[in-house]
Amino acid sequence: GTANEHHYIHFDETYYTKDDDGNWNTGECYVCTICGHAVDSDYTSDSSDYEEGTDSYEDAAAIAGHTYVAASDEPTVTWADDHSSVTVEGDVICSVCGSMTNKYGYSLDCLCADDTVEETESVTTSSIDVTYSGNCVEGVTATYTATVTLESYGELTVTDVVEDEDGQNSYVVEEDDWEWTWDEENDTYTVIAKTMTCPIDNDVQENVTAVVTSEITKEATCTEDGTIVYTAVATVYDTDGTTVLGSAQTMKTESIAAFGHDYDSSGVCTRCGDTLNSGSKGTSDGMSGSVEVGSTVSDSTGTYSVTSTGSNKTVTYTKPTSSSATSVVIPSTITVDGVTYQVTAVSASAFKGNTKMKTVMIPSTVTSIGKSAFEGCTALTTVSGCASVITIGNRAFYGCKKLTQVGSAKSKVKLTKVETIGKYAFYGCKSITVVNLTSKNLTKIKNFAFQYCLKLKKLVSKSTILAKIGKKAFYGDKKLASVTLKTTKLKNSNVGAKAFTGTKSNCTFKVPAKKMSAYKTLFKKKGAGSKIKMKK
């Protein structure tokens, strides 16, 4: 048959042997979900058993993948509470094998039951038009309209109508027009809305005093900061001062400093009951004594391993306090028995297999994320911070299929100091769309680092000293359409086989001008499509 007659899906197998790094050996092929025809990497036009008219491995790889169509008539529309953005999600299903589960026998079950047969397309926009009707006294109706495009649904126009009762119209106050002043006498803020504008009739009110309330959302303890939220509401009345025309609201969140322990003469904290025990060694759980390198210490934030006890005392984060927590904040320092340690690393397997955790904050003191630190964290979406991370270990985020953010940039992988990205580091991270490696010191992207990042569209590396892109580093990233590389150090010997196989055939590579020709040849040799575009 010809290539157009088959519907190939990539298929991995895991063998009962391991490589030198202790990882299971794998094999791969492409299998047609229609007829079961399979093609492995040894089956090429140069093979001795190659039959004219059949699909070579390269043919199958070029056309492999699901072909999605809309799975429902109407997508799901979710508006932000303040209508600053809207998200439209539509289920899609493969038009060829979406209904094939169990239809063709056991041999194809693993392909037809693959969760990539059914997916969800999503788009968020803040380009929203709003129109108003009514008036500020009797009430206003706001109609919000946005136009979005989903690949399988086409262009869609979505609307939301909000009816405000009289006196409930929202005045607009720019962020800089809120004036916060601390009132020492009353231990709170006074807040002035310097300019308030009605979006309906452009009425402008100036210097409106807001009513301020506060709520402690997290109590401070001896070891943890608390949180207090101040809410200010500025209200506009009619000329008689009796009818509310509308209002505007703003909020300010502040930390409440941890109290610190207050030990009495017997060594017991008068606030929390923590006990000093001068006789313990190799301390743990806040107990005092002789702490050596390798000792385990812990507090309410997690468990740590001591890595230095010299003038710069350091620890590595080894595991969270609770395996069921959905959000974890790793502190920059911990204090045990009055001794402060800086947290400089996340250990190997620290969160491995945690299926509950959704968000993690890594402080700027951490420079290393260990091997398999977040492997298999299938609910994890956001790893914020990471401002000083230099090394990302092998399999660090392996299989984190919902992960969209690593670093400070929303919905991106943005790493500003990284030097090495390990093998399989982001393997199978299906939800990542943008990788922005702004670090000027990045030297290595190792084998399989971003393989099967199925939604990855854009890659940027600003390092001029990047000297390794490993085997299959971006293999199977079928939506990767834009690659920017500043380095001039890439060559056949330091770019691994199939590094760009399975990326978009017309992917645009932006590279240094003097390397355009050489890199075009090199990247095609390493699997990039025949229609790639080069820019300087």
Side-chain angles (χ1 to χ4, degrees):
T2 64
N4 290 333
E5 294 176 347
H6 291 292
H7 179 68
Y8 289 108
I9 300 301
H10 185 267
F11 180 54
D12 278 326
E13 295 179 287
T14 301
Y15 304 121
Y16 292 97
T17 58
K18 293 185 177 181
D19 62 19
D20 292 340
D21 293 327
N23 300 314
W24 294 108
N25 287 311
T26 61
E28 60 179 304
C29 62
Y30 288 92
V31 180
C32 177
T33 62
I34 299 173
C35 68
H37 177 62
V39 181
D40 62 25
S41 57
D42 294 329
Y43 193 67
T44 68
S45 58
D46 296 327
S47 304
S48 59
D49 60 346
Y50 178 75
E51 297 181 15
E52 194 68 31
T54 61
D55 294 309
S56 68
Y57 184 81
E58 291 79 7
D59 292 334
I63 64 169
H66 295 291
T67 304
Y68 291 112
V69 296
S72 60
D73 293 334
E74 295 291 338
T76 301
V77 179
T78 305
W79 291 87
D81 290 343
D82 61 357
H83 285 83
S84 61
S85 65
V86 61
T87 298
V88 181
E89 295 180 311
D91 292 334
V92 295
I93 192 167
C94 180
S95 61
V96 178
C97 55
S99 60
M100 286 185 176
T101 303
N102 298 324
K103 184 175 180 180
Y104 289 96
Y106 181 79
S107 63
L108 298 183
D109 282 357
C110 55
L111 298 177
C112 295
D114 187 333
D115 61 5
T116 60
V117 173
E118 298 181 0
E119 290 196 339
T120 300
E121 291 182 0
S122 176
V123 62
T124 300
T125 182
S126 56
S127 297
I128 297 170
D129 294 325
V130 57
T131 59
Y132 299 95
S133 60
N135 58 69
C136 296
V137 176
E138 296 176 353
V140 175
T141 298
T143 302
Y144 298 89
T145 304
T147 300
V148 298
T149 300
L150 290 177
E151 185 174 345
S152 298
Y153 286 79
E155 185 176 283
L156 303 169
T157 299
V158 294
T159 61
D160 194 28
V161 177
V162 179
E163 294 184 357
D164 289 337
E165 298 176 1
D166 58 304
Q168 298 300 308
N169 186 42
S170 297
Y171 273 67
V172 176
V173 180
E174 299 297 331
E175 184 175 354
D176 292 342
D177 282 336
W178 289 105
E179 184 178 84
W180 292 77
T181 305
W182 182 250
D183 182 349
E184 292 283 356
E185 182 177 350
N186 295 302
D187 197 29
T188 188
Y189 280 99
T190 58
V191 180
I192 302 294
K194 293 188 289 185
T195 303
M196 300 178 65
T197 305
C198 175
I200 308 303
D201 56 16
N202 296 317
D203 175 52
V204 176
Q205 300 288 327
E206 295 182 340
N207 298 320
V208 178
T209 300
V211 175
V212 180
T213 58
S214 64
E215 178 185 7
I216 297 176
T217 57
K218 180 184 177 182
E219 296 284 352
T221 67
C222 291
T223 57
E224 289 189 6
D225 290 346
T227 305
I228 185 169
V229 179
Y230 295 92
T231 302
V233 179
T235 303
V236 177
Y237 295 88
D238 65 2
T239 53
D240 295 332
T242 57
T243 302
V244 175
L245 301 181
S247 62
Q249 175 179 302
T250 189
M251 303 174 74
K252 178 188 284 287
T253 301
E254 293 186 345
S255 295
I256 304 172
F259 304 129
H261 292 300
D262 180 21
Y263 294 108
D264 61 19
S265 58
S266 62
V268 178
C269 178
T270 59
R271 296 191 180 98
C272 69
D274 184 66
T275 304
L276 290 172
N277 182 351
S278 59
S280 65
K281 183 176 180 180
T283 64
S284 173
D285 298 324
M287 305 301 289
S288 67
S290 175
V291 179
E292 301 172 346
V293 171
S295 297
T296 297
V297 296
S298 61
D299 67 4
S300 59
T301 65
T303 301
Y304 302 81
S305 176
V306 177
T307 51
S308 173
T309 58
S311 57
N312 296 319
K313 297 175 175 61
T314 61
V315 292
T316 291
Y317 186 98
T318 59
K319 66 179 180 180
T321 303
S322 171
S323 60
S324 61
T326 59
S327 181
V328 174
V329 176
I330 299 176
S332 58
T333 61
I334 61 169
T335 300
V336 179
D337 301 334
V339 178
T340 298
Y341 298 84
Q342 188 175 76
V343 182
T344 60
V346 178
S347 77
S349 303
F351 297 92
K352 185 176 181 180
N354 187 320
T355 59
K356 301 293 185 182
M357 184 177 60
K358 297 180 180 180
T359 64
V360 177
M361 196 288 290
I362 295 180
S364 60
T365 54
V366 169
T367 60
S368 173
I369 297 176
K371 179 180 179 181
S372 299
F374 297 93
E375 181 176 347
C377 294
T378 53
L380 182 64
T381 63
T382 303
V383 180
S384 59
C386 301
S388 301
V389 170
I390 294 173
T391 303
I392 296 179
N394 295 346
R395 304 172 73 91
F397 297 97
Y398 185 101
C400 295
K401 63 183 182 180
K402 293 185 178 180
L403 183 66
T404 59
Q405 177 180 334
V406 177
S408 59
K410 187 175 181 180
S411 300
K412 294 181 181 179
V413 173
K414 184 176 182 180
L415 298 167
T416 58
K417 297 289 183 64
V418 70
E419 296 178 7
T420 302
I421 299 175
K423 295 179 181 178
Y424 297 97
F426 293 92
Y427 182 102
C429 292
K430 300 178 181 180
S431 299
I432 291 173
T433 59
V434 177
V435 173
N436 192 2
L437 307 174
T438 59
S439 171
K440 300 296 180 63
N441 298 315
L442 177 65
T443 60
K444 296 178 182 178
I445 300 174
K446 293 188 176 182
N447 298 348
F448 320 107
F450 293 92
Q451 185 172 349
Y452 296 138
C453 292
L454 301 179
K455 293 184 179 179
L456 178 60
K457 297 178 180 180
K458 182 178 181 180
L459 165 70
V460 176
S461 170
K462 295 187 177 181
S463 173
T464 58
I465 59 173
L466 175 63
K468 180 179 178 61
I469 297 179
K471 178 174 65 176
K472 293 187 177 181
F474 300 95
Y475 185 97
D477 296 352
K478 60 186 179 180
K479 293 189 177 182
L480 184 57
S482 175
V483 176
T484 299
L485 299 170
K486 297 286 187 180
T487 182
T488 59
K489 298 183 179 297
L490 299 178
K491 51 190 176 181
N492 186 60
S493 61
N494 61 22
V495 178
K498 300 182 181 180
F500 296 100
T501 297
T503 57
K504 269 192 172 295
S505 62
N506 62 347
C507 181
T508 297
F509 288 81
K510 186 176 181 181
V511 301
K514 65 181 181 180
K515 302 296 290 186
M516 286 179 65
S517 178
Y519 277 3
K520 185 173 185 179
T521 301
L522 174 62
F523 295 159
K524 283 186 175 181
K525 185 175 182 180
K526 302 302 181 178
S530 59
K531 300 178 182 179
I532 61 171
K533 303 172 185 177
M534 307 301 291
K535 291 185 177 182
K536 60 182 178 179

